[in-house]
Every structure is written in structure tokens, then in C-alpha cells.
Amino acid sequence: MKEAIGVTPGLAVILVGDRKDSATYVCNKKKACDSVGIISLEANLSEDSTEQEVLNYISDFNNDPSVHGILVQLPLPKHMNEQNILNAVRIEKDVNGFHPLNIGCLAMRGREPMFVPCTPKGCIELLHRYGIPIKGKKAVVIGRSNIVGIPVALLLQREDATVSIVHSRTINPEKITRQADIIISAVGQPNMVRENWIKPGAVIIDVGINPVEDSNSPRGYRMVGDVCYEEASIVASAVTPVPGGVGPMTIAMLLKNTLISAKRIHNFE
């Protein structure tokens, strides 16, 4: 693309606060951008920044023709209105796929969103790449967040799976989950899914990334998923590790969406 029309795709990331997982993720995004030749711009704001300061950065990036994708790292601090901030990103640059119009199109049959949210897109890509059939299978999504749970359930439905969503108010979640051929967990509870939640031979995608104390680690903590990996790997036919499973896929899909955006903006095939 750069050689053909002299355009390099540009991705702008806005990070508010100092959450360890978000900072790690943003750092990995920057490295990935560098490795594939995407321009990476960053705005780092303190935890006590105002909502207006974030909106100002979004406005600048919306109007910058060298920026083809804008990503606001979630979650935002509690005092900010997430809806206002995500709605401010121009839909043509919403490479995270969080704009309500993108999610709305994802939910409707026969409509195509401009962008599919990166983590859910990465989960489905993993299933495709490993040749795991989705059509007609029972899938359970644990968690109903706007970031992962809801969109990944919609994508599984588009792939003709029969989908159940398990959440904090679900009665007997382990019983429902044990019926699943495919489990996608995105709930943020370390080691919540145990051996007795899993049907033998099930496929598990663990989106959770949770810091737990570990005195043997130089950082004093280590990252674990929502699924107890040691137990799951005995019962399941496939399970993603944490870290190193879904995280790199999310970043790969983000870069893919940024390229799609740049190609669309410049009518480049």
C-alpha cells in the first residue's frame, strides 16, 4: 500500500490511567505496529484527567488524515462516561468496533458492521485457523460485557452455533457450561472455570487476564485466565493459554482492522 499510493496506515491509542493489564496491552500494540509498518500514535492521560481532555484527543485524531484507526483503551476510570467517549470516535475510524452502529449492524441479520470488535474477531479467527467446527455446535459465552461477551455471542450466532450466555445472575452456571462444545470465557475471575464445568473434548477460549499474587515472580504477581488451565488441559480437547493466547490475536485483528480502514478511506484494493 505504501509503495502503491504512498499511504501508511496510522493507529492512535488513548490510554487513561495506569492499569497494569491495559499498559501491557498498549505496549504490545505499539511493538506490533512497528513490526508490520503501521504508524502508532499514543495519548497517555492520568487517572484523574477529565472526560473533556479525552474528547479533545479523540477530536484531534478524528480530524487527522494520517490516523485511520482510533482506539480508546477500556475500561476507563469510573468518573468518565464510557458511552459519550466511544460515541465520539468517528465510525469510519472505530477500529475497535465499539460504536453502537457497528454493534447494531453486528446484531442484525443481513447487515455488515464497518468493523468487528477485535477480541471477539480474534476468538472466531482462532476457531477457524484450527479447523474447529462452529456450525450446529453448542457454545457457551461466560460474561456479557459490551467489549467481548455480547459481540462474541453475536459472532458465534452468525456462524450458526447455538449460543447461551452465562453471567453473574445465572443459576447453576457450571451445569450450563458443561453442555458446551465451545466455551469462551470473558468474565475477569481468576480460575473460575474448573474441571467440573467442562465437557470432555470441549474447546475453550480463555479471554480473561487476571493478576494474582505470586511471590516467586519478579513483579510480585502473574497473569492467569478465567479458566483453571491445569484442570482444563486434562479434560478439554483444546484450550488457549494465558498470557499468550487471545491477547496476540486481539492485537492482530486490531492491525487488520486498521489496514481495512486505511484501504477503505483511500479506495485502495
Side-chain angles (χ1 to χ4, degrees):
M1 184 177 185
K2 195 175 174 182
E3 283 172 12
I5 58 169
V7 172
T8 304
L11 173 66
V13 178
I14 297 171
L15 176 64
V16 187
D18 53 4
R19 277 178 63 113
K20 291 185 191 118
D21 54 349
S22 293
T24 302
Y25 185 47
V26 168
C27 177
N28 290 340
K29 279 174 192 160
K30 188 170 175 14
K31 284 182 191 163
C33 281
D34 292 345
S35 72
V36 298
I38 287 176
I39 294 166
S40 176
L41 303 166
E42 229 174 277
N44 290 306
L45 290 89
S46 63
E47 184 82 21
D48 57 1
S49 299
T50 65
E51 193 174 307
Q52 190 55 50
E53 286 176 279
V54 179
L55 291 171
N56 290 345
Y57 271 105
I58 291 172
S59 177
D60 289 346
F61 290 139
N62 275 340
N63 296 323
D64 185 341
S66 71
V67 172
H68 304 98
I70 301 169
L71 182 141
V72 180
Q73 184 66 38
L74 299 179
L76 289 161
K78 295 275 190 287
H79 67 277
M80 291 186 182
N81 185 321
E82 187 179 283
Q83 198 173 323
N84 285 349
I85 287 170
L86 294 181
N87 287 358
V89 176
R90 268 178 59 190
I91 192 166
E92 298 86 355
K93 297 188 179 190
D94 173 39
V95 286
N96 236 351
F98 290 157
H99 193 286
L101 288 176
N102 272 324
I103 296 292
C105 287
L106 190 63
M108 295 172 76
R109 293 185 67 139
R111 299 287 183 93
E112 289 301 322
M114 290 193 87
F115 301 102
V116 173
C118 303
T119 300
K121 187 175 181 173
C123 293
I124 302 298
E125 184 75 15
L126 273 174
L127 295 171
H128 287 167
R129 292 290 180 113
Y130 283 89
I132 292 157
I134 306 173
K135 192 174 187 172
K137 298 294 182 181
K138 283 186 181 172
V140 167
V141 175
I142 306 174
R144 52 179 169 178
S145 72
N146 291 335
I147 303 174
V148 182
I150 298 297
V152 84
L154 293 170
L155 285 172
L156 286 163
Q157 215 162 287
R158 281 183 165 230
E159 298 268 344
D160 298 320
T162 300
V163 186
S164 301
I165 298 178
V166 166
H167 49 77
S168 58
R169 301 287 184 269
T170 301
I171 296 163
N172 293 335
E174 62 279 10
K175 187 180 174 187
I176 295 166
T177 308
R178 202 163 43 237
Q179 297 170 11
D181 304 303
I182 298 166
I183 300 168
I184 299 183
S185 184
V187 77
Q189 295 289 333
N191 297 320
M192 183 183 85
V193 177
R194 312 300 296 236
E195 186 178 351
N196 65 334
W197 289 51
I198 304 162
K199 179 168 103 172
V203 170
I204 303 172
I205 294 181
D206 190 351
V207 181
I209 182 150
N210 313 290
V212 295
E213 284 183 23
D214 182 0
S215 55
N216 296 324
S217 167
R219 297 178 297 186
Y221 68 94
R222 62 191 168 88
M223 292 297 189
V224 301
D226 294 343
V227 178
C228 181
Y229 185 82
E230 290 72 20
E231 292 180 17
S233 53
I234 296 165
V235 189
S237 62
V239 55
T240 59
V242 176
V246 174
M249 288 303 297
T250 300
I251 291 170
M253 295 303 106
L254 174 67
L255 302 186
K256 190 172 183 177
N257 279 355
T258 303
L259 177 59
I260 288 167
S261 175
K263 286 167 82 169
R264 192 185 282 139
I265 287 168
H266 293 280
N267 295 314
F268 180 73
E269 290 303 321

